[in-house]
Amino acid sequence: MKERFPQGFMWGGATAANQVEGAWDEDGKGPSIVDAIPGGKARLSIVASPEFDFTIDSDRYTYPNHKGIDHYHRFREDIALFAEMGFKCYRFSIAWTRIYPTGVESEPNEAGLAHYDEVIDTCIAHGIAPVITLSHYEMPLHLATAFGGWKNRDVIGHFERYARTVLTRYGHKVKYWMTFNEINSAAHFPMMSQSLTVKTGALDPQAKYQAWHNQFVASSLAVKIAHETDPQIQMGCMILFATTYAYDCHPVNQLATLKETQAFNFYCADVQVGGKYPYYARRLWQSLGVTLDIQPGDMELIAAHRVDYIGFSYYMSTTLNKTDPKADAAQGNLLGGTRNPFLEASDWGWEIDPTGLRIALNQLYDRYQKPLFIVENGLGAVDKPDENFTINDDYRINYLRQHIEAMADALEDGVELMGYTPWGCIDLVSMSTGEMSKRYGFIYVDLDDTISGTGNRYKKKSFSWYQKVIASNGSDLR
Ligand code: BG6
């Protein structure tokens, strides 16, 4: 069979601390913003409501992230299953609040550090390279409530201390890192990645763009610390990429697509990879009434310490139609946009578009000429196990197969792609709906939306399929 993927290609899977670990208040961990976000389908609208202020109200809401899938206690079993699939790498995040429970302590919590020593060592013992996200949608709650989230410049110093602590502790054994998960998602939803509420500025472009600026400075500090710790370390950015189409060839739609692609897909990476604000930023800020507080030294730091690779998530494309106000909205698509008549959608309305991934890879490589790493991709679906917990998830296999084929095509186009870590390699709590029933995994976890159940792990059909994909280095996709 013809080899379409390079030797050393990093096949693996991805999770995030707040969606798998549980144990939200164990061993000295403090609450993070996600611990204060209710579960359920209404989750994002609750967070986006004017009164929301991160108060934990257990009488009114459920908080599935508090228990997650108990990966905190069961990580050895989970990582052994990943190893059985042949993972070359495992992308996970460190919960900042296990290391600095409120974010402002001067000394780290040793129990939290010891936990990730064990997780990392378990991966390495199985020949799996850890790929660590420093911040996956979960700043310490105290930094959100007392400081107002990332719009407050003081948060940079607290992040820097956290980044230094973990990079110094683990940098000699972990080569691949990322700074902020889906940093650009704030364009549409700043509650998770910037910890802003409506009360603290989520709807105010000034707050959002200032928060981004502070994150860019913090990201460059993390790159600096990483390279000083060990020049071998590769620090990536992480963006949410949604290939954006104009609905038709009307110039208005074409222009809107260009502008949205810049403002959403490229704005953050242009700074984190390019080391400066892009040419279109000034006009964008002006149109939104934004005046940034850029301190002396910020732009020099950003220019000097750029990321080594581009990590990105890709789930779907989005389509813009600005000329027809009655055009159907794409249901469930977090990014909004119009329904694309050429695409099928998932049970949650996310439009499935493998060709869009090939376009994404080409657009990113064309612009940045940096190695790319697909660190999230996958199909959220309802799985229906029979009485023996057999799950024939052919729909998931089909989705992944088509996206892997698109990756192979993009490699032949000439892009440089380091690896692929499908999202939620083990079932976990969904980010946008805080439920278990939206499943992505190769491994089924017997828990329902209230986190009731045995918690037992079962291999789905996709488990052995992915095992074969990895063993054949992407040649055998049957
Ligand atoms: C990405 C996030 O946006 O998409 C993950 O980085 C998230 O945290 C994933 O889980 C899938 O989204 P959802 O809402 O289906 O969990």
Side-chain angles (χ1 to χ4, degrees):
M1 244 174 278
K2 187 173 155 232
E3 287 259 331
R4 298 185 78 192
F5 286 84
Q7 286 303 312
F9 189 79
M10 292 168 67
W11 298 99
T15 66
N18 74 83
Q19 293 172 262
V20 289
E21 285 182 356
W24 76 295
D25 57 357
E26 275 184 47
D27 297 335
K29 180 184 176 299
S32 77
I33 57 155
V34 188
D35 294 323
I37 297 182
K41 291 196 191 297
R43 166 178 254 199
L44 295 188
S45 47
I46 295 169
V47 176
S49 66
E51 66 278 4
F52 184 75
D53 63 0
F54 291 120
T55 300
I56 299 177
D57 182 351
S58 303
D59 293 333
R60 203 164 156 207
Y61 298 122
T62 56
Y63 294 89
N65 302 69
H66 290 186
K67 291 190 186 158
I69 59 161
D70 201 24
H71 188 63
Y72 185 74
H73 297 112
R74 302 181 71 156
F75 68 87
R76 286 185 193 79
E77 175 190 350
D78 296 341
I79 294 170
L81 285 166
F82 301 158
E84 198 181 324
M85 269 188 282
F87 278 23
K88 312 287 182 212
C89 67
Y90 171 39
R91 175 189 176 220
F92 60 92
S93 68
I94 293 179
W96 184 348
T97 49
R98 289 202 190 281
I99 313 302
Y100 289 99
T102 65
V104 300
E105 292 82 359
S106 52
E107 293 302 321
N109 171 32
E110 178 54 34
L113 287 170
H115 172 72
Y116 292 108
D117 269 326
E118 285 193 59
V119 174
I120 292 165
D121 292 345
T122 304
C123 287
I124 293 170
H126 281 290
I128 294 175
V131 177
I132 299 183
T133 318
L134 286 171
S135 177
H136 191 122
Y137 287 156
E138 54 175 330
M139 139 184 292
L141 184 57
H142 179 71
L143 294 182
T145 52
F147 289 67
W150 271 105
K151 72 171 194 284
N152 186 332
R153 202 178 161 94
D154 292 345
V155 171
I156 298 173
H158 296 302
F159 177 81
E160 183 185 0
R161 190 171 58 260
Y162 157 65
R164 187 180 301 283
T165 300
V166 294
L167 281 160
T168 311
R169 177 93 167 206
Y170 313 123
H172 60 291
K173 46 189 179 183
V174 177
K175 181 171 175 190
Y176 298 100
W177 297 76
M178 270 169 278
T179 50
F180 298 105
N181 182 64
E182 294 188 337
I183 183 169
N184 60 322
S185 65
H188 296 291
F189 205 79
M191 293 76 175
M192 298 288 213
S193 66
Q194 299 184 330
S195 306
L196 295 175
T197 61
V198 172
K199 285 183 187 166
T200 61
L203 303 180
D204 175 9
Q206 176 66 34
K208 182 189 301 188
Y209 280 79
Q210 189 60 50
W212 264 332
H213 179 75
N214 297 340
Q215 289 181 299
F216 297 148
V217 173
S219 167
S220 287
L221 284 166
V223 174
K224 179 170 185 285
I225 295 165
H227 291 161
E228 284 167 1
T229 305
D230 185 339
Q232 296 293 311
I233 293 180
Q234 299 277 296
M235 181 66 84
C237 59
M238 193 321 198
I239 58 169
L240 189 180
F241 197 96
T243 304
T244 306
Y245 304 121
Y247 186 74
D248 57 23
C249 54
H250 195 301
V252 167
N253 288 329
Q254 293 291 330
L255 182 64
T257 301
L258 171 72
K259 291 290 173 196
E260 172 66 10
T261 300
Q262 290 177 331
F264 180 72
N265 284 326
F266 292 134
Y267 179 80
C268 294
D270 278 354
V271 182
Q272 292 179 288
V273 182
K276 59 181 194 297
Y277 279 106
Y279 76 92
Y280 56 83
R282 187 179 302 274
R283 175 119 201 231
L284 186 63
W285 298 332
Q286 268 167 8
S287 69
L288 296 166
V290 168
T291 310
L292 286 188
D293 170 20
I294 299 178
Q295 298 278 310
D298 285 359
M299 294 319 298
E300 290 74 9
L301 187 84
I302 286 170
H305 305 287
R306 311 181 199 183
V307 293
D308 302 302
Y309 67 94
I310 298 157
F312 71 102
S313 63
Y314 177 86
Y315 291 92
M316 61 197 157
S317 55
T318 188
T319 303
L320 296 185
N321 186 349
K322 298 288 176 192
T323 51
D324 178 4
K326 293 206 207 88
D328 278 352
Q331 290 302 313
N333 182 333
L334 287 179
L335 307 169
T338 302
R339 221 184 64 70
N340 184 328
F342 302 103
L343 300 177
E344 307 261 300
S346 77
D347 294 343
W348 275 262
W350 294 20
E351 289 176 336
I352 300 168
D353 183 10
T355 305
L357 176 58
R358 181 173 174 187
I359 295 169
L361 286 161
N362 275 277
Q363 286 185 341
L364 283 164
Y365 199 63
D366 188 30
R367 192 171 186 98
Y368 301 119
Q369 309 273 301
K370 282 270 180 199
L372 305 172
F373 196 166
I374 303 168
V375 294
E376 283 188 37
N377 170 244
L379 180 72
V382 177
D383 290 329
K384 296 201 180 83
D386 67 12
E387 63 285 1
N388 301 316
F389 285 94
T390 305
I391 296 129
N392 288 319
D393 54 343
D394 290 313
Y395 36 91
R396 181 168 295 110
I397 293 172
N398 281 340
Y399 177 102
L400 295 170
R401 180 190 292 123
Q402 289 172 11
H403 285 78
I404 294 172
E405 272 165 2
M407 285 155 45
D409 284 333
L411 278 161
E412 280 156 22
D413 292 337
V415 310
E416 209 179 330
L417 180 61
M418 298 160 59
Y420 180 58
T421 58
W423 177 248
C425 45
I426 181 165
D427 291 347
L428 40 67
V429 180
S430 145
M431 184 275 286
S432 58
T433 50
E435 58 188 339
M436 281 300 299
S437 27
K438 187 178 191 187
R439 296 174 184 272
Y440 288 87
F442 303 109
I443 300 163
Y444 185 88
V445 179
D446 178 29
L447 290 172
D448 66 16
D449 290 341
T450 62
I451 314 294
S452 304
T454 62
N456 290 345
R457 277 66 168 147
Y458 298 93
K459 299 171 196 171
K460 303 181 194 176
K461 186 174 177 185
S462 55
F463 184 101
S464 48
W465 175 80
Y466 195 45
Q467 195 176 41
K468 252 188 338 176
V469 172
I470 299 178
S472 65
N473 196 25
S475 297
D476 186 357
L477 300 180
R478 282 168 303 158

